[in-house]
Amino acid sequence: MKNVEIIPVTGLLEIKEGDALATLILEAIESAGAKIQNRDVLVLAQKIVSKAEGRILDLKSVEPSQEAIEIANRDERDPRLVEAVLRESNEIVVASERALITEHRTGAVCAHAGIDRSNVGGDEDEVLLLPRDADLSARKFHDEIKRATGMFVPVLIADTQGRAFRRGVVGVAIGCAGLEPLVDLRGEKDRSGRTLEITILAHADEIAAAASMVMGQDKQGVPAVLIRGLEHHAGDRPARALYRTKEEDLFRP
């Protein structure tokens, strides 16, 4: 087994709407004396993708609907934020004082439709939305890197999310291009020679979680990392392949 390196990409200035993110990332890598290699994996923090795509919302501009006002009054929430969540969601999964969990328009089930107030800017009324289509964002970035360098570099967009039956948040992939997000091991043999029957690895999530350890969550956060030496399968399926369909969901009514 090869050694796997997780290389932080630093030196980026605050990302703004319209910034050529791929160019900036490549320049930051070069300035650090590094160089992208074929089959490296590039993991981007969701926040820099959302900022480059102009996904900042000023809550002062949001007019809450009656539904948002009712949920906010019942659960002691900001009705403007609730309205923003509703607009980004297909449906509410759980709405209570403890949590507001929805199915995002992409199919991901997460808290507040992935809307975040941290590391957005100085205005407390500004929130950051997820990319409209993180898989499409990853695909565009993957193609731009290939055109600029000639290298095949899979791209993941990572966010941190909670999990239904475990405490704390962990890195997950919300956008994927160039590698297979799920690795089906059913039919393979384990070390004892027994046939695996149900094992499907969420490979993209494993990579995102590893990257998240280096990226961090506070003001010292690293916006992107290169992962080198990782064995991965090239593939075209998007990150949304990781999401269970309603038919597979054992817990949602």
Side-chain angles (χ1 to χ4, degrees), residues 38-59:
N38 203 45
R39 293 186 63 80
D40 283 349
V41 178
L42 185 57
V43 185
L44 308 174
Q46 166 265 319
K47 283 186 172 64
I48 62 171
V49 178
S50 290
K51 287 179 179 179
E53 294 180 357
R55 298 287 285 157
I56 293 178
L57 174 67
D58 189 342
L59 293 179

Side-chain angles (χ1 to χ4, degrees), residues 4-10 29 32-37 40-43 210-211 214-215 222-229:
V4 176
E5 296 180 78
I6 304 178
I7 306 166
V9 178
T10 59
I29 292 171
K35 189 176 181 181
I36 278 188
Q37 297 179 11
D40 283 349
V41 178
L42 185 57
V43 185
V214 174
M215 287 177 164
V222 174
V225 299
L226 268 180
I227 299 182
R228 180 162 297 162

Side-chain angles (χ1 to χ4, degrees), residues 177-196:
L179 66 78
E180 182 56 48
L182 290 165
V183 178
D184 191 344
L185 298 180
R186 291 174 297 181
E188 301 289 333
K189 302 290 186 181
D190 67 12
R191 287 184 298 174
S192 302
R194 181 176 299 169
T195 300
L196 299 174

Side-chain angles (χ1 to χ4, degrees), residues 58-66 68-69 79-80 83-84 87:
D58 189 342
L59 293 179
K60 291 191 289 292
S61 69
V62 175
E63 184 68 32
S65 63
Q66 186 60 39
I69 291 170
R80 304 170 305 169
E83 176 62 25
R87 292 179 186 180

